[in-house]
Amino acid sequence: MKEILRIWCKRKWLLLGLLLMGGFPGLAQIDSAWSRTATDTSRNKMVQDAIYNRPFIQLGKTTTAVGGYLEGNTNYFVTDGISEGYSMELRRFNIFLYSTIARRIKFLSELEFEHGTKEIGLETAQLDFEINPAFNLRMGILVVPIGAFNQNHDSPKWEFIERPLVTTNLIPSTLSEVGFGIHGKVYAPQKVFTYDVYLVNGLQDGLILNAEGRTSLPAGKDPSMFDQDNNGRPMLSTKLAFRHRKLGEVGISYYGGIYNTYKIDGIPVTSKKRLALYALDFNTTLGRAVVNGEFAHARLQLPPALGPAFGNRQAGGYLEVVYTVLQKTLLDYPKTALNANLRIEMVDYNIGQFSETGTRRRDDIRAIVPGISIRPSANTVIRANYRYHWTRDLLGNPPARTGGFQVGFASYF
């Protein structure tokens, strides 16, 4: 028995070595076979591919290409009978830069301008070293693979003006961090599997030390994340996803680690506090309808002195349906698509009960968003939404109700 185990282990490590060196005989053949037999290449694209699945323009005869997108909209909202009237905004202007440095070495960056020049940020600046379809190295400023939207967030890909609540108020999209790790893709007949594993600096003390008066993962983003870790303990971000050509894609992901500064100048000043964020996402096509969904759950260790306003558990999710009503030539734009859209969503910032009374804590928001959109091209969308959401405070008082219209556009260029 020992001899059998010894031989099996040797073969296992030999297979792994061949895989890392790109010598595994089946993967490249399956990869090319998948490409040859696919009648609809979009069905082969997965969330993991989103960061490269964008239109680029090559600069002359170089290996460098540029691209980007523009997004703008107008808003009119009323909250409990009070309105501030109409407002217009140029919400985002993003520029991509891509380069093939050498064979199987790629560089990608994205610079984002929000609300004109009010906020400017470097969203991506990464190097990819392709060793094998199933094993690749990535390093730099990475878009963390938590959920689906964080990796696939470009506005021209979506029929709704606002990003889903769970991806902004719970998962802090867009979450980009300095780090490194591995990712890969394994093919099988009719199926694809992907994985991502990264170590990143991680969210910081702003999770609880913020002006919002509640636990807030988005407030844990800090500019210092790009040059140092606040506690010397990187966070782990990992995702597994599976796609069937006919059924769609489902992914599960995790992001977590120590978030607080627990020592100063090497001297412990408090105990370590841990964050664990889990997400489930899926997408599928049912006839003319595309269905997307994402759900997330966060658990945190908190100082007991914070009190009940700070929740140690949060959860949220959304479900949306995009139905293509018609697709035809309109005003000389071929294959113009008219879509009817609906999204329902919610986020609960404080799951639990008051210890004194046993009653439920509230502090949540729920929304329903119907809308229509027109796509004169696959890369350009004109959209109109009606948004209605209601927000409850911690004590569960009658909710504040907000309703309003939004009209906007988004386009790659």
Side-chain angles (χ1 to χ4, degrees):
M1 179 63 71
K2 290 183 178 179
E3 183 65 18
I4 294 174
L5 289 174
R6 185 178 64 81
I7 294 172
W8 182 85
C9 290
K10 282 186 176 181
R11 290 183 176 179
K12 181 185 69 172
W13 288 110
L14 177 60
L15 288 173
L16 180 61
L18 289 170
L19 177 65
L20 300 186
M21 291 185 294
F24 199 91
L27 288 174
Q29 296 171 3
I30 295 173
D31 188 6
S32 61
W34 178 279
S35 300
R36 288 195 305 269
T37 58
T39 57
D40 180 4
T41 56
S42 65
R43 292 180 180 268
N44 303 333
K45 298 298 182 182
M46 299 185 67
V47 170
Q48 188 190 66
D49 303 315
I51 197 166
Y52 285 111
N53 186 24
R54 296 158 156 173
F56 291 92
I57 299 176
Q58 186 172 350
L59 298 178
K61 297 181 179 180
T62 69
T63 59
T64 300
V66 297
Y69 70 85
L70 180 71
E71 177 190 3
N73 60 278
T74 183
N75 310 294
Y76 179 82
F77 284 104
V78 178
T79 300
D80 291 339
I82 300 174
S83 174
E84 295 184 358
Y86 289 92
S87 64
M88 291 180 285
E89 59 177 332
L90 186 64
R91 185 168 289 186
R92 293 180 182 89
F93 175 70
N94 290 31
I95 300 175
F96 315 137
L97 182 64
Y98 167 83
S99 180
T100 302
I101 298 174
R103 184 173 178 267
R104 298 193 299 174
I105 302 178
K106 298 187 294 186
F107 167 79
L108 179 69
S109 68
E110 181 176 356
L111 184 63
E112 181 175 60
F113 299 82
E114 289 194 7
H115 308 289
T117 56
K118 184 178 180 180
E119 298 179 32
I120 303 175
L122 185 59
E123 194 165 282
T124 312
Q126 68 181 39
L127 276 174
D128 274 331
F129 294 84
E130 298 177 344
I131 298 173
N132 186 281
F135 188 87
N136 305 278
L137 304 178
R138 177 170 290 173
M139 58 197 69
I141 298 178
L142 318 174
V143 178
V144 176
I146 178 67
F149 188 89
N150 196 60
Q151 290 181 290
N152 190 27
H153 59 265
D154 289 358
S155 299
K157 295 182 178 181
W158 296 85
E159 310 303 311
F160 298 89
I161 293 172
E162 297 295 338
R163 293 177 170 182
L165 289 171
V166 69
T167 68
T168 56
N169 295 16
L170 183 53
I171 299 173
S173 299
T174 302
L175 180 57
S176 301
E177 300 197 48
V178 177
F180 68 93
I182 59 175
H183 66 94
K185 183 183 294 186
V186 178
Y187 296 94
Q190 302 290 320
K191 309 176 191 69
V192 188
F193 301 86
T194 67
Y195 73 91
D196 295 84
V197 182
Y198 304 108
L199 291 177
V200 295
N201 278 347
L203 298 174
Q204 302 190 1
D205 299 270
L207 287 173
I208 54 176
L209 301 179
N210 57 63
E212 297 187 27
R214 67 153 69 106
T215 303
S216 173
L217 272 63
K221 294 198 298 184
D222 189 283
S224 64
M225 292 165 55
F226 290 104
D227 57 30
Q228 65 178 354
D229 193 316
N230 66 321
N231 54 32
R233 298 286 297 270
M235 287 191 175
L236 173 67
S237 178
T238 181
K239 181 173 183 178
L240 298 174
F242 161 79
R243 183 174 189 87
H244 189 283
R245 284 186 61 201
K246 295 181 179 179
L247 300 180
E249 179 177 350
V250 61
I252 55 174
S253 48
Y254 165 83
Y255 173 91
I258 306 300
Y259 70 85
N260 68 317
T261 303
Y262 61 88
K263 59 184 178 180
I264 299 177
D265 295 330
I267 302 174
V269 294
T270 186
S271 61
K272 300 173 184 177
K273 302 295 187 298
R274 184 172 294 275
L275 158 72
L277 176 61
Y278 305 91
L280 168 71
D281 62 84
F282 65 89
N283 64 76
T284 188
T285 301
L286 302 173
R288 291 187 174 189
V290 176
V291 182
N292 294 296
E294 187 168 334
F295 303 89
H297 186 274
R299 299 182 68 95
L300 303 92
Q301 294 175 331
L302 302 177
L306 285 178
F310 289 81
N312 65 348
R313 288 190 297 152
Q314 298 182 330
Y318 80 92
L319 180 68
E320 67 177 35
V321 179
V322 176
Y323 182 82
T324 301
V325 178
L326 61 86
Q327 188 171 23
K328 60 182 295 186
T329 299
L330 182 65
L331 298 177
D332 290 332
Y333 292 101
K335 295 185 178 181
T336 297
L338 172 64
N339 300 318
N341 317 307
L342 178 66
R343 175 192 288 165
I344 54 175
E345 53 185 334
M346 64 82 63
V347 171
D348 190 335
Y349 300 105
N350 200 330
I351 299 174
Q353 298 176 332
F354 291 102
S355 58
E356 298 85 356
T357 63
T359 57
R360 178 184 173 186
R361 302 175 187 174
R362 297 305 302 241
D363 197 11
D364 54 44
I365 180 171
R366 303 167 189 271
I368 181 168
V369 189
I372 59 173
S373 60
I374 299 175
R375 286 190 174 272
S377 78
N379 294 327
T380 302
V381 59
I382 301 170
R383 49 203 180 183
N385 302 157
Y386 175 77
R387 182 176 184 83
Y388 182 83
H389 64 255
W390 51 103
T391 307
R392 284 190 173 90
D393 63 15
L394 183 65
L395 299 177
N397 290 312
R401 301 176 184 273
T402 299
F405 294 92
Q406 295 176 289
V407 179
F409 69 93
S411 180
Y412 284 113
F413 58 82

